[in-house]
Amino acid sequence: MMSAPAKVPVWRSPRGRAWLFQIVMLAAFIWLALTMYGNTLDNLETRGIGSGFGFLTAEAGFKIGEITGIPLPKGGFLYFLISLGAGLGICRLIAMRLKRKGAPLSTAGTAACLAAGVGLPLVTLYLFRDSVEIARYSASSSYIMALATGLANTLKVTVIGCVASSILGLMVALGRLSPNWLMRTLCRWYVELNRNLPLLLQLFFWYFIVLQQLPGVRQSIDIGGWIFLNKRGLYLPALVPGPGAWAFCAALVLALCGTGLLYKRALGLREKTGRPGRWLLPGLGLVIGLPALAWLASGTPFTLDMPVLKGFNYKGGTGLTPEFTALVVGLTVYVSAFNAEIIRAGIEAVSTGQREAARAIAMNERQVMRIVVLPQAMRVIVPPMTSEYLAIAKNSSLAVAIGYPEFVSIGGTILNQSGQAVEIVGIWMGVYLCISLAISLGMNIYNARIALKER
Amino acid sequence: MNETKMIPDRRPPRTRTGVIGWIRKNLLSPWYNGVLTLVAGWLIWSAAMPFFDWAVRNATITLDPEAAKAGSGAAWGFIREMWPVFMTGVYPEAERWRPLLALGVVVAIVCLSLVHKYRRTKWIRGMWILSPVVVFSLLHGGGITGLPAVGTHYWGGLMLTVTLAVVAMVAAFPISVLLALGRTSKMPIARQFCVAYIELIRGVPLITILFMASVVLPLFLPAGMELDKVLRAMVGITMFFSAYLAENIRGGLQGIARGQYEAADALGMSYWAKVRIIILPQALRIVIPPMVNNFIGILKDTSLVGIVGLVDLLQIAFATTSNPRWFGRLEEAYIFIAFWYWVFCYGLSRYSQHLERKMPSAGK
């Protein structure tokens, strides 16, 4: 008869040990956190610094060189957000219903989705157009407004940097794949040079060397009398919305949606009957006609505000500060080198058999690229590209070194003024975590759509 | 009658082979390729010619700033005069032999390690383990060495950049191994800790971590305990890179077949024996190339310490050009600094490509 296995004491079994280890770890962590908390309180007391976030509502009192307006979540704007959420929700419901039925998204379904997703928020925005307030920072605003302005500046740079570096990266990648030896070599060295130099060095190069060599205000480089470039920045004509701007924009959006619908229908028709559906001409008519009608009905939508030399600088128009220009150019050039390598690797990952097969069924080169190669390359490209976009968002914080007032730089100013180091660093980290999460969430949804469906 | 005549073999047309053929094939045909060649040529020409004029043709190498001012090109005399400063920052002039000696020691050990005969011997490992102590006591001095102490606030330039990068890499390595193991382990609390740390650090910019290390970290410490400025930056960079390195190593851990774990369990190995003898050696071998890339990242990102007030290789540019003798020679300084960063980073990236070719990938 077999004797029952000897009972292993808890502290000798792997499970027991694992738990013991984790409890010790948790205890050590809690002890460390409490000690640090106590130390911090002591240190703050000796330095005479208060704690808590109350200081955020105090008056900031400093100027910000570049101010992006922020729509304030007040009254009508809240309704807009709600209607946007409701519209998107209705879209999702319609899509799910159709999916359950097994029917593809029909024209009627698309129209309903568009009406709900785009129309509803637009109507709300139009109804409450007076209560959407664009707040602009001034020195008497609170610290919160200063931080919000910094965040808006960060987001502006991030969005522009992502788009521009993708386009430039695509161009360099195509250059590296080109059969032309000179072009290939040039693009290779572009990548090698940019990838192996620190971003901060490049930012300094653009800011302190390239932009400083531009002429002064009076000797501005004049491009067609519209665009002026000098040491103080780049000056462009600005679009000033007139009374008819709302109607014009709404008409444009409607026309674009209509053209999209027409295109979809034409594609469907071609698939069913084999005859090419017509969509280009009616679509063009829509895109030109509707806004033109709106223009006639409600007056000039936009007027141009030209930059004019007055006194010591240009007045009017929109100006891009040298800090902004240097940051965007530096970020774009640096990241485009990485993007180019990602895109090239993605295109090279599509096996040559795919291209050959596509050519064998008589596709032309453009179709091979658009229908066969790019969709497959995208699967390889999107995940690493996501981390590059995240890197742009994070690296825009280097602007603190050249004085572009983005989130970290403004936070740093507040830190120097108020001494609230723990709170400011906490806010920085929280906000950047949110930005990172938002970007990776969006890109993951996109990735899930294009990823290979394996069963 | 109906005699067929052999046609003698002919050489290919001269325009299809040799230099002409290569140029035709690679640069000129089809026609749009020719246009591309022209565009690329124009780009290279318009960038390279002004640079050549500035850096070579009109450049001066005189040590006299007044004579250099007369020329329209680069004044390389500035670099000639300042280059010890670029290398070591404000390290006292009389003591500069010490960083040089330390460099010599490291180079000697590296050279010895490259000789195949000595590579795996015990004493060379001992020298590697001992080298940080030797280098630190040479650079810092004081204590039992009998050398005059040179505090870290005198360290700067390339020396500081390389020191920060190497220390961060060496210190981040064990932390990241533990983090990676924790993230892949089955213990729920430990795993959550590691995930939280890695994602938190990877989600924020390095600058905020450096600010945290330089401004907030002193608040966490008990009163009276002071941390050196350079040490604080090292802590920040190490925290940052251990998260990134941990993700690399996790990739290596995931690349190991389950059978390896099961075989170790079947032998009755304890967790740590399994990890130390079976898992880690294989996992680390796979991730050496990405780890080299990570090191390139550290080297480049150490340039951010300038923002929290250290004078590394990049910030030396501002320090040297504010010297009244050579005021505003920023271009030369940047070219010189860029050269060093580029040589290091490009060299390392070639090395990692070489490793990638040499290493058998996982599962083969």
Side-chain angles (χ1 to χ4, degrees):
Chain A
M1 204 177 138
M2 248 167 59
S3 60
K7 203 162 160 54
V8 183
V10 174
W11 61 89
R12 295 275 301 273
S13 75
R15 269 178 65 94
R17 273 193 191 181
W19 279 108
L20 208 68
F21 171 71
Q22 290 184 80
I23 289 166
V24 170
M25 195 173 138
L26 199 62
F29 177 75
I30 291 172
W31 172 79
L32 194 72
L34 284 179
T35 317
M36 275 175 11
Y37 182 68
N39 285 340
T40 311
L41 284 190
D42 290 347
N43 284 323
L44 288 180
E45 204 178 335
T46 47
R47 288 170 208 203
I49 304 170
S51 59
F53 292 92
F55 72 99
L56 282 176
T57 49
E59 191 183 305
F62 57 86
K63 279 191 179 159
I64 295 180
E66 177 149 350
I67 294 166
T68 310
I70 305 156
L72 274 188
K74 233 187 218 174
F77 189 75
L78 273 187
Y79 294 138
F80 168 67
L81 284 185
I82 292 168
S83 65
L84 186 69
L88 290 179
I90 293 173
C91 280
R92 179 105 190 109
L93 273 180
I94 294 172
M96 272 167 67
R97 237 189 112 87
L98 286 170
K99 207 171 172 189
R100 215 173 35 239
K101 273 192 192 158
L105 203 58
S106 64
T107 318
T110 322
C113 276
L114 279 176
V118 184
L120 199 61
L122 272 181
V123 167
T124 328
L125 206 58
Y126 185 71
L127 287 179
F128 294 96
R129 63 185 178 280
D130 295 328
S131 56
V132 176
E133 196 177 321
I134 304 288
R136 295 181 71 80
Y137 174 85
S138 69
S140 58
S141 307
S142 64
Y143 281 137
I144 295 183
M145 265 314 281
L147 281 174
T149 306
L151 183 58
N153 284 343
T154 294
L155 293 178
K156 194 163 87 179
V157 168
T158 306
V159 171
I160 297 176
C162 286
V163 175
S165 69
S166 306
I167 296 171
L168 194 58
L170 181 66
M171 277 160 62
V172 176
L174 293 180
R176 284 208 63 179
L177 293 167
S178 135
N180 186 312
W181 177 85
L182 200 62
M183 202 61 173
R184 217 162 52 214
T185 318
L186 180 69
C187 290
R188 189 175 154 228
W189 283 102
Y190 173 86
V191 170
E192 294 291 6
L193 199 67
N194 279 310
R195 233 178 17 169
N196 290 316
L197 290 177
L199 175 58
L200 195 59
L201 181 100
Q202 298 195 29
L203 286 183
F204 283 154
F205 170 76
W206 291 108
Y207 186 62
F208 287 115
I209 296 187
V210 177
L211 291 182
Q212 294 302 319
Q213 306 228 325
L214 290 173
V217 176
R218 302 223 157 254
Q219 292 82 38
S220 293
I221 302 171
D222 180 343
I223 305 168
W226 290 62
I227 301 167
F228 301 95
L229 186 63
N230 60 42
K231 239 180 208 178
R232 299 254 190 101
L234 180 70
Y235 294 87
L236 305 160
L239 281 179
V240 181
W246 282 108
F248 183 81
C249 289
L252 193 67
V253 170
L254 266 182
L256 285 177
C257 294
T259 312
L261 273 182
L262 277 175
Y263 179 64
K264 248 198 149 139
R265 245 188 76 185
L267 273 191
L269 209 70
R270 195 175 69 179
E271 243 160 56
K272 255 189 223 143
T273 63
R275 261 175 296 159
R278 266 196 287 159
W279 64 276
L280 192 65
L281 272 181
L284 265 179
L286 260 182
V287 170
I288 297 171
L290 262 186
L293 269 180
W295 189 321
L296 286 177
S298 59
T300 327
F302 294 103
T303 44
L304 272 184
D305 182 18
M306 302 291 289
V308 184
L309 185 63
K310 263 186 198 157
F312 293 111
N313 207 347
Y314 282 88
K315 294 270 156 57
T318 27
L320 301 181
T321 57
E323 290 82 20
F324 176 82
T325 317
L327 183 61
V328 167
V329 171
L331 265 179
T332 302
V333 168
Y334 180 74
V335 177
S336 72
F338 291 86
N339 284 349
E341 285 300 277
I342 292 169
I343 295 172
R344 182 180 66 97
I347 292 176
E348 279 180 347
V350 179
S351 70
T352 40
Q354 296 274 340
R355 291 159 188 261
E356 285 161 6
R359 283 189 201 113
I361 57 170
M363 281 187 181
N364 62 31
E365 280 307 307
R366 249 189 69 214
Q367 284 174 319
V368 172
M369 203 65 187
R370 192 168 57 88
I371 301 175
V372 178
V373 176
L374 273 186
Q376 298 190 67
M378 282 313 264
R379 291 180 185 137
V380 186
I381 290 171
V382 168
M385 207 74 152
T386 307
S387 38
E388 287 309 320
Y389 291 157
L390 289 173
I392 293 181
K394 286 185 278 171
N395 281 337
S396 67
S397 61
L398 296 197
V400 68
I402 56 171
Y404 174 72
E406 48 69 68
F407 194 57
V408 169
S409 139
I410 287 181
T413 312
I414 298 176
L415 199 160
N416 285 337
Q417 277 193 9
S418 65
Q420 307 278 357
V422 186
E423 290 84 356
I424 292 290
V425 171
I427 292 174
W428 274 339
M429 294 192 159
V431 167
Y432 275 104
L433 281 178
C434 289
I435 296 178
S436 300
L437 270 180
I439 293 180
S440 57
L441 190 72
M443 290 300 281
N444 278 344
I445 291 173
Y446 180 60
N447 190 32
R449 281 182 52 129
I450 60 164
L452 202 61
K453 304 281 187 300
E454 281 183 89
R455 290 179 211 289
Chain B
M1 245 173 57
N2 218 348
E3 208 173 304
T4 48
K5 215 171 98 191
M6 285 289 282
I7 300 172
D9 288 349
R10 275 186 298 186
R11 295 182 147 276
R14 177 115 34 100
T15 52
R16 302 255 162 202
T17 57
V19 179
I20 301 171
W22 185 89
I23 289 176
R24 274 180 67 134
K25 186 158 165 278
N26 286 297
L27 297 179
L28 297 178
S29 73
W31 64 269
Y32 54 81
N33 233 331
V35 177
L36 272 185
T37 305
L38 279 182
V39 172
W42 177 78
L43 277 175
I44 294 173
W45 182 261
S46 58
M49 273 324 283
F51 182 76
F52 178 77
D53 280 348
W54 175 81
V56 182
R57 194 181 290 163
N58 301 329
T60 51
I61 51 164
T62 162
L63 282 173
D64 175 25
E66 296 310 316
K69 233 171 244 170
S72 59
W76 296 119
F78 161 59
I79 304 292
R80 252 178 83 196
E81 189 175 315
M82 289 290 181
W83 91 272
V85 183
F86 277 103
M87 293 298 114
T88 57
V90 288
Y91 207 85
E93 218 170 329
E95 309 290 333
R96 273 189 200 136
W97 60 272
R98 279 155 51 179
L100 208 62
L101 185 63
L103 180 71
V105 168
V106 173
V107 169
I109 301 180
V110 169
C111 287
L112 269 180
S113 310
L114 288 178
V115 180
H116 205 263
K117 204 166 88 185
Y118 301 128
R119 190 179 275 175
R120 279 160 196 277
T121 52
K122 239 178 208 154
W123 55 272
I124 210 138
R125 276 185 204 166
M127 273 164 72
W128 271 114
I129 292 169
L130 220 65
S131 62
V133 184
V134 175
V135 169
F136 179 79
S137 41
L138 264 175
L139 291 184
H140 192 272
I144 52 164
T145 55
L147 295 163
V150 181
T152 50
H153 49 279
Y154 288 109
W155 299 14
L158 185 65
M159 186 184 102
L160 181 64
T161 293
V162 172
T163 313
L164 282 173
V166 171
V167 169
M169 188 73 188
V170 171
F173 181 71
I175 302 175
S176 58
V177 167
L178 288 180
L179 282 172
L181 286 174
R183 195 171 181 167
T184 50
S185 89
K186 291 195 191 75
M187 296 187 282
I189 298 176
R191 193 173 62 223
Q192 289 311 318
F193 261 109
C194 295
V195 171
Y197 178 84
I198 292 173
E199 295 304 333
L200 180 78
I201 300 281
R202 275 161 48 94
V204 301
L206 175 55
I207 292 230
T208 59
I209 298 200
L210 281 176
F211 268 115
M212 195 191 82
S214 75
V215 189
V216 181
L217 194 65
L219 292 177
F220 288 161
L221 299 173
M225 191 171 155
E226 283 288 323
L227 269 190
D228 187 271
K229 210 169 167 187
V230 173
L231 195 60
R232 274 183 265 162
M234 279 174 183
V235 170
I237 300 178
T238 305
M239 278 176 71
F240 188 72
F241 278 102
S242 55
Y244 281 83
L245 206 53
E247 284 297 273
N248 276 346
I249 295 177
R250 180 168 76 116
L253 290 176
Q254 285 175 345
I256 292 174
R258 282 184 57 82
Q260 299 279 333
Y261 288 86
E262 286 161 359
D265 287 337
L267 288 174
M269 281 183 168
S270 76
Y271 176 78
W272 288 111
K274 178 171 76 179
V275 164
R276 195 168 52 83
I277 300 170
I278 313 271
I279 306 301
L280 268 188
Q282 299 186 67
L284 292 181
R285 225 168 84 106
I286 303 173
V287 294
I288 285 178
M291 265 160 58
V292 177
N293 285 336
N294 215 298
F295 189 69
I296 298 176
I298 300 184
L299 198 65
K300 282 194 295 179
D301 284 352
T302 50
S303 58
L304 267 64
V305 296
I307 296 175
V308 293
L310 299 186
V311 190
D312 70 321
L313 182 58
L314 186 53
Q315 295 299 321
I316 277 286
F318 298 103
T320 49
T321 51
S322 57
N323 181 320
R325 262 169 70 77
W326 298 98
F327 189 76
R329 289 282 173 191
L330 216 51
E331 289 93 343
E332 288 87 345
Y334 277 142
I335 298 278
F336 187 63
I337 290 166
F339 168 79
W340 281 105
Y341 274 115
W342 195 81
V343 164
F344 275 110
C345 294
Y346 184 70
L348 280 169
S349 90
R350 290 318 295 250
Y351 181 62
S352 103
Q353 282 164 20
H354 162 80
L355 283 176
E356 230 153 296
R357 274 194 299 274
K358 212 173 104 181
M359 289 266 177
S361 56
K364 273 182 203 158

